[in-house]
């Protein structure tokens, strides 16, 4: 599972550094005993212990993150179950949990999870935004229609301006949701490329030196937390969202848009018909068409607001939970590796 920049070279460098530190610790011990200097003895003994620990750590991490290692087997057993099918980009192929999490957020096509086919959140959100933009344009055109009656001029702007305001408000919320989804997908892409290839080898190298030992432990903890804990926490999010069927689909919005276009055409034709014939029955037809359209849009907006609430939960609240879990794991791993990790107010969660 290791796809490494410094690649395996990073691990090789850390082994060389550990060898050098073992030699230095032996040299320090020799001087300490020769000169009977307590500080040299303590420094040499401590560095020798740490070098042995670093050597064990390098070997353990290599074994854990190979394709057949413990971590790889665990991730595969959690992800590749119940007919799960994912669209895995090449640079993510070493970690199926990252592939599945990316598909859940902004994948290139449908994926299968827990035996059900799903659309990526970004596809659903962007499709809804596109459909709402079309509906907004048609309703805006209707609101600009003016019918000249015999003594008065009637405009539909007062009827549909509140509707237009609601649609534009929803579009703004969904645009924010879409950006959040893309940011999370970008973070997963960075993790897939850099966690094991840059951060983990760099952490091993830094931990081998006395002045940067705590920084190295922090880098190791961050790389493991991001590569393992973060994508696995998204599986929990997906398990919750897998039973949700989007109540306000793009096809439903499109159907209402077609109805709005029909009403728009009817308004134009009815206005022309009234001006040429002075048929008062046209007013009733217009009123009925507009009322029906208002009712359809009201029902649609109710469904859309419900869907927006779910999108907010899935793209803000649940990912925040994932970040907290990842932060706690990084903190605990850092302490285990002799480092410290504090995340401000989240420190109390650890």
């Amino acid at each position: 599972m290791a796809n490494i920049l410094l690649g395996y070279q990073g691990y090789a460098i850390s082994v060389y550094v550990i060898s050098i530190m073992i030699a230095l610790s032996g040299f320090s011990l020799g001087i300490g005993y020769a000169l009977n200097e307590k500080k040299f003895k303590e420094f040499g003994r401590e560095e020798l212990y740490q070098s042995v620990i670093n050597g064990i750590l390098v070997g353990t991490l290599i074994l854990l993150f190979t394709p057949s290692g413990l971590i790889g087997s665990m991730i595969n057993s959690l992800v590749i179950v119940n007919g799960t099918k994912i669209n895995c980009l090449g640079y993510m192929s070493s970690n199926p949990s990252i592939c599945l999490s990316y598909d859940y957020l902004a994948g290139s096509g449908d994926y299968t999870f827990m035996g059900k086919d799903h659309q990526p959140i970004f596809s659903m959100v962007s499709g809804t935004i596109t459909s709402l933009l079309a509906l907004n344009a048609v309703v805006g055109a209707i609101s600009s229609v003016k019918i000249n009656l015999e003594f008065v001029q009637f405009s539909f702007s007062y009827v549909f301006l509140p509707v237009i305001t609601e649609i534009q408000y929803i579009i703004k919320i969904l645009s924010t949701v879409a950006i959040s989804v893309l940011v999370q997908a970008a973070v997963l892409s960075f993790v897939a490329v850099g966690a094991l290839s840059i951060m983990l080898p760099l952490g091993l190298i830094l931990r081998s030196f006395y002045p940067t030992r705590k920084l190295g432990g922090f880098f190791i903890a961050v790389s493991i937390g991001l590569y393992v804990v973060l994508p696995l926490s998204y599986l929990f999010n997906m398990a919750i969202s897998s039973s949700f069927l989007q109540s306000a689909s793009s096809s439903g919005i499109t159907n209402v848009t077609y109805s709005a276009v029909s009403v728009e055409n009817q308004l134009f034709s009815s206005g022309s018909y009234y001006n040429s014939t002075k048929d008062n029955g046209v007013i009733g037809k217009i009123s009925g068409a507009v009322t029906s359209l208002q009712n359809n849009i009201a029902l649609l907006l109710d469904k859309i607001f419900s869907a927006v609430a779910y999108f907010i939960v899935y793209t803000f609240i649940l990912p925040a939970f994932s970040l907290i879990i990842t932060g706690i794991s990084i903190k605990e791993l850092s302490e285990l590796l002799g480092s410290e990790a504090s995340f401000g107010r989240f420190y109390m969660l650890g």
Side-chain angles (χ1 to χ4, degrees):
M1 187 170 289
N3 182 14
I4 312 196
L5 149 110
L6 289 167
Y8 286 106
Q9 297 174 5
Y11 291 95
I13 292 172
S14 65
V15 171
Y16 295 146
V17 172
I18 290 170
S19 301
I20 293 171
M21 294 306 296
I22 290 175
L24 288 176
S25 63
F27 182 72
S28 178
L29 279 171
I31 293 178
Y33 282 108
L35 301 177
N36 197 25
E37 286 288 338
K38 184 178 180 181
K39 290 184 179 179
F40 280 99
K41 291 179 183 179
E42 290 179 350
F43 177 79
R45 189 178 296 112
E46 178 64 23
E47 286 305 306
L48 182 59
Y49 291 155
Q50 290 296 333
S51 297
V52 171
I53 292 172
N54 287 338
I56 295 172
L57 187 60
V58 170
T60 302
L61 290 175
I62 291 176
L63 290 175
L64 286 176
F65 289 99
T66 54
S68 58
L70 180 61
I71 298 298
S73 300
M74 180 193 71
I75 291 176
N76 283 325
S77 65
L78 290 172
V79 175
I80 311 300
V81 292
N82 297 327
T84 298
K85 296 179 181 178
I86 52 179
N87 306 306
C88 202
L89 299 175
Y91 63 91
M92 295 182 180
S93 59
S94 61
N95 189 335
S97 63
I98 293 181
C99 288
L100 185 56
S101 300
Y102 188 89
D103 281 349
Y104 162 70
L105 291 169
S108 58
D110 293 355
Y111 64 96
T112 303
F113 179 67
M114 297 181 69
K116 296 181 180 179
D117 293 332
H118 302 278
Q119 273 188 297
I121 292 178
F122 182 75
S123 295
M124 291 190 289
V125 172
S126 58
T128 303
I129 290 174
T130 302
S131 300
L132 284 174
L133 287 172
L135 178 60
N136 183 68
V138 176
V139 174
I142 293 174
S143 67
S144 66
V145 173
K146 295 180 180 179
I147 297 180
N148 295 314
L149 304 180
E150 190 169 356
F151 300 105
V152 296
Q153 185 183 67
F154 186 78
S155 173
F156 294 94
S157 59
Y158 293 104
V159 178
F160 287 104
L161 278 179
V163 173
I164 294 173
T165 301
E166 291 295 326
I167 293 175
Q168 292 175 347
Y169 178 68
I170 293 172
I171 290 173
K172 289 180 181 179
I173 295 176
L174 291 177
S175 298
T176 304
V177 168
I179 293 172
S180 173
V181 170
L182 290 178
V183 169
Q184 293 174 58
V187 169
L188 288 173
S189 296
F190 166 77
V191 170
V193 172
L196 294 190
S197 64
I198 300 174
M199 297 182 69
L200 187 57
L202 182 60
L204 289 170
I205 293 170
L206 291 175
R207 196 181 186 282
S208 300
F209 293 106
Y210 175 76
T212 58
R213 181 156 297 143
K214 288 188 176 181
L215 180 61
F218 176 74
F219 269 82
I220 294 171
V222 169
S223 62
I224 295 175
L226 292 178
Y227 191 79
V228 179
V229 180
L230 180 62
L232 288 180
S233 69
Y234 271 94
L235 297 185
F236 172 78
N237 302 351
M238 297 171 66
I240 295 176
S241 64
S242 63
S243 60
F244 169 65
L245 296 176
Q246 189 183 5
S247 58
S249 63
S250 299
S251 59
I253 302 173
T254 302
N255 291 336
V256 174
T257 303
Y258 287 147
S259 299
V261 171
S262 176
V263 171
E264 179 187 8
N265 294 334
Q266 186 175 352
L267 290 176
F268 281 116
S269 61
S270 297
S272 302
Y273 181 77
Y274 178 84
N275 289 332
S276 61
T277 65
K278 308 299 183 182
D279 184 359
N280 293 329
V282 173
I283 305 303
K285 295 178 181 178
I286 294 174
S287 176
V290 170
T291 301
S292 177
L293 178 60
Q294 278 185 303
N295 292 335
N296 289 335
I297 293 178
L299 292 173
L300 177 66
L301 291 180
D302 183 62
K303 292 181 179 180
I304 292 175
F305 273 116
S306 176
V308 167
Y310 280 103
F311 284 139
I312 290 174
V313 170
Y314 295 145
T315 56
F316 290 102
I317 297 177
L318 290 179
F321 174 78
S322 296
L323 289 176
I324 292 172
I325 294 296
T326 304
I328 293 173
S329 68
I330 291 172
K331 178 179 177 296
E332 297 299 328
L333 281 171
S334 294
E335 293 178 354
L336 184 64
L337 294 168
S339 183
E340 296 178 1
S342 176
F343 299 97
R345 294 184 182 274
F346 292 113
Y347 184 82
M348 65 186 70
L349 296 174

